[in-house]
Amino acid sequence: MSFVDTLRQWDNAVTCVDRQDLTEALAIFLAIQEPNSKIYFDIGCLHLLNNDLDAAEKAFDCSIGKDEHLAVAFFQRGMTFYRKQRYEESLADFQHAFRTLRGNQLIDYKALGLRYKLFACEVLLNVALCEAHLGKWEKAHENLVKALDYKIDTKLNIIDRALDSALKQKLFKPVEFPSKVLFKPNRHYVAELEKKDYLGKAKVVASVVPQDAFSGFAPLQPQVEESPTYPKEREVLRALEGQPHTVLYEFVPETSDELAVVPGNIVFVLQKGADNWASVVFNERRGLVPYNYLERLEISLASKQNEGQGRSQPPSKEPPTRPERKPGLTPSGKASGDTQQKDEQSTNNLCIVKVCFTFNFAVSVPPGCTYAILVEKICKKLNLPSTSITLSLTSEATEESIITPSTEMEGVWRRATGLRITLWCNTKEQTDGNPKSETHYFVALHSYESSSPEDLNFHQGETVTFLSRVNQEWLEGECNGKTGIFPASFVEELPVDGRTMK
């Protein structure tokens, strides 16, 4: 059981006690799977109210086992033993509670969620009462005299009355814990249990779709026929070609090619497999989702059938059983990265070109394309002009392996296997024999732990070799034999002959 679930049940149980519904409160407390010391204390107090002394004793045992410094738990277990007439065990618990006070007049448990103050003089009074029951009147008198040293004005009368009774060797009443006073969860944590809608519900202001109530991140269709001002990702356009579906149940992925969705999301189904799995796109991400978690969403530009109707609300019943993945029947659906890119391209009969640069990447081109198309794709990926790179068929750029505009491309594509080919790319500075750039190094100002597989781990003070700049905020480098990306703000460049990288 999570901390949030425990907190919610704890708060519900305390609320039931405030309503005088002790039976329901005890049932809620007992349903908590891993109670802490305070919850066990509350359970013991409710058992005492029901006069179930054995169950109360076990609950206070668990409370003390969780927190051996909880003096009020020893005090309550001592009262349980007292009511069971086990005075020696009761005396031991009261004495332990007094020692836990460590010479203080009282302990105020308000900060811990219990509106109660445990006074040392009251604990000593109960110690004296147990001594009296055991026939040790002299020790009982000594403990009552000792209680006078810890008394406060409001507790003076009960100590004086107990002393008078002890001198006459008459028993007196014990000090008992107030009924229905329980530990309560932190009110600040409880306040955070309720979901807050800070932004409010989104609504459609303008749309080319009649009666459009969709308010997600991906549009239902292109808003204009012309090319958009900002280029759209190909994945979004593919999503518009798929079938829109509403997600009915929350789905938690178990493999990297599955996609996490929650009720109310609108996804676009690209392909449905025979084993009830569907390849979908949601928020520009592609992955697999069980098709029985989805419901088809009908969209019509001209009809008025959906007038006055919004999206259907997800059902409240339990989600269906996760379907079994069957090889050959499950559609392909990679979640992100190069794997997703390769999968999409292979379905479109494109040739995958793996380019070995200072880092590896892949581009997709039509099979048998010209040199110009190939170079344009690679240069766009590297953000370099076509005149500054050289392609080769091998890692060593020799005259026989270099690919130039005059190279017969049919011979190059014949080397492809299964629509896949590997090429090597070098900049002109790397191939003319006189490199113009030096290797740059960085020193780590702070330790960095990766949050994703492509990140690079390093510790403060380690040296990182610079490989490439991803953008203004991220760099690619090598450290301890591993390669990855890292924030530029975590490192500082080491000067090379008085110069630094710009």
Side-chain angles (χ1 to χ4, degrees):
M1 180 178 291
S2 66
F3 172 74
V4 173
D5 292 334
T6 301
L7 199 66
R8 183 176 287 110
Q9 288 191 243
W10 187 2
D11 183 59
N12 291 339
V14 172
T15 303
C16 289
V17 173
D18 294 338
R19 298 199 309 260
Q20 308 298 323
D21 191 354
L22 303 184
T23 303
E24 179 66 18
L26 186 57
I28 295 175
F29 271 130
L30 294 176
I32 298 177
Q33 295 179 3
E34 296 180 2
N36 56 31
S37 61
K38 299 175 186 177
I39 295 176
Y40 272 126
F41 178 87
D42 291 349
I43 294 173
C45 290
L46 292 180
H47 282 312
L48 273 184
L49 287 174
N50 294 333
N51 205 29
D52 189 349
L53 301 181
D54 291 334
E57 179 186 346
K58 292 180 181 178
F60 291 128
D61 286 342
C62 293
S63 178
I64 293 170
K66 293 280 186 177
D67 185 359
E68 61 182 11
H69 301 291
L70 194 62
V72 70
F74 283 101
F75 184 85
Q76 277 291 74
R77 191 173 70 174
M79 285 305 306
T80 305
F81 287 141
Y82 181 84
R83 291 171 63 174
K84 296 174 75 172
Q85 297 183 3
R86 291 159 59 180
Y87 300 117
E88 291 185 354
E89 294 169 277
S90 177
L91 175 62
D93 273 350
F94 287 138
Q95 289 174 336
H96 197 110
F98 178 75
R99 288 195 298 270
T100 308
L101 284 162
R102 298 180 181 179
N104 296 304
Q105 281 188 322
L106 59 91
I107 294 179
D108 190 351
Y109 286 95
K110 182 179 180 180
L112 298 180
L114 180 68
R115 292 186 173 275
Y116 181 70
K117 295 178 182 179
L118 182 63
F119 291 92
C121 59
E122 292 180 335
V123 177
L124 287 172
L125 185 146
N126 284 3
V127 170
L129 180 59
C130 291
E131 297 280 8
H133 275 286
L134 295 173
K136 303 175 183 179
W137 289 101
E138 292 183 3
K139 289 187 177 181
H141 185 267
E142 291 176 3
N143 281 302
L144 289 173
V145 172
K146 185 178 180 180
L148 293 174
D149 296 332
Y150 291 91
K151 72 178 186 305
I152 59 176
D153 293 340
T154 56
K155 304 295 180 181
L156 181 60
N157 291 334
I158 61 173
I159 303 298
D160 289 341
R161 287 196 297 269
L163 269 172
D164 291 340
S165 298
L167 290 173
K168 300 174 183 178
Q169 294 192 356
K170 292 182 179 180
L171 297 176
F172 43 90
K173 293 183 179 180
V175 176
E176 297 191 54
F177 188 84
S179 61
K180 302 177 185 177
V181 176
L182 304 177
F183 276 107
K184 296 183 178 181
N186 189 301
R187 58 187 179 90
H188 298 293
Y189 292 161
V190 174
E192 294 298 326
L193 291 178
E194 298 298 329
K195 294 182 178 179
K196 298 181 177 65
D197 186 5
Y198 294 101
L199 299 179
K201 184 178 180 180
K203 65 178 180 179
V204 177
V205 178
S207 175
V208 298
V209 181
Q211 304 301 326
D212 185 6
F214 177 73
S215 58
F217 291 100
L220 293 178
Q221 68 173 34
Q223 300 298 299
V224 292
E225 296 296 332
E226 302 82 16
S227 299
T229 305
Y230 298 98
K232 293 183 178 180
E233 294 291 339
R234 184 167 60 87
E235 190 62 56
V236 176
L237 297 179
R238 286 194 60 186
L240 302 179
E241 298 171 3
Q243 291 293 335
H245 286 66
T246 301
V247 179
L248 300 179
Y249 311 97
E250 180 179 6
F251 175 66
V252 180
E254 296 182 1
T255 61
S256 61
D257 59 348
E258 296 173 2
L259 188 65
V261 290
V262 297
N265 289 155
I266 293 182
V267 300
F268 293 85
V269 176
L270 303 179
Q271 182 182 2
K272 179 186 175 185
D275 59 351
N276 208 28
W277 284 86
S279 176
V280 305
V281 171
F282 175 65
N283 282 355
E284 305 182 24
R285 297 179 60 198
R286 177 173 174 174
L288 293 175
V289 173
Y291 190 75
N292 53 355
Y293 280 52
L294 309 176
E295 181 182 58
R296 185 164 180 172
L297 181 64
E298 297 294 339
I299 300 176
S300 175
L301 298 179
S303 68
K304 300 293 184 178
Q305 296 177 355
N306 295 330
E307 184 172 355
Q309 298 180 358
R311 288 185 307 182
S312 59
Q313 296 296 324
S316 58
K317 62 181 181 180
E318 293 296 322
T321 305
R322 171 191 173 96
E324 181 182 357
R325 297 275 294 272
K326 299 179 180 179
L329 300 180
T330 304
S332 178
K334 300 298 181 182
S336 59
D338 291 340
T339 309
Q340 175 189 0
Q341 190 177 40
K342 294 177 184 178
D343 177 72
E344 295 171 4
Q345 294 163 347
S346 62
T347 57
N348 291 312
N349 295 321
L350 297 177
C351 184
I352 307 301
V353 181
K354 178 181 177 182
V355 182
C356 299
F357 190 54
T358 54
F359 54 93
N360 296 340
F361 61 94
V363 296
S364 59
V365 296
C369 71
T370 63
Y371 173 83
I373 294 177
L374 175 63
V375 171
E376 180 185 1
K377 282 274 189 177
I378 296 175
C379 290
K380 183 178 179 181
K381 197 79 171 180
L382 297 175
N383 197 22
L384 293 174
S386 60
T387 57
S388 65
I389 67 169
T390 301
L391 299 179
S392 63
L393 296 169
T394 61
S395 58
E396 297 293 334
T398 62
E399 293 184 3
E400 293 78 10
S401 64
I402 289 180
I403 304 174
T404 64
S406 60
T407 300
E408 182 63 39
M409 294 303 293
E410 290 184 4
V412 173
W413 295 119
R414 280 197 295 269
R415 301 171 66 97
T417 303
L419 293 180
R420 282 171 169 77
I421 189 173
T422 301
L423 301 179
W424 279 261
C425 177
N426 298 288
T427 60
K428 289 297 179 61
E429 294 84 353
Q430 295 172 319
T431 59
D432 60 9
N434 296 310
K436 298 180 181 179
S437 61
E438 303 87 358
T439 302
H440 294 271
Y441 299 94
F442 292 86
V443 62
L445 299 177
H446 313 282
S447 297
Y448 177 68
E449 294 184 3
S450 64
S451 57
S452 57
E454 63 268 18
D455 289 2
L456 178 66
N457 287 325
F458 51 76
H459 295 91
Q460 182 178 2
E462 290 185 338
T463 301
V464 182
T465 304
F466 171 78
L467 296 180
S468 65
R469 180 181 292 276
V470 180
N471 52 38
Q472 293 296 324
E473 298 179 355
W474 290 85
L475 305 175
E476 182 182 29
E478 180 182 359
C479 182
N480 297 326
K482 296 183 179 180
T483 303
I485 63 174
F486 57 91
S489 59
F490 276 63
V491 297
E492 182 180 43
E493 184 181 3
L494 295 175
V496 179
D497 297 331
R499 293 169 294 170
T500 58
M501 180 184 65
K502 301 296 183 184

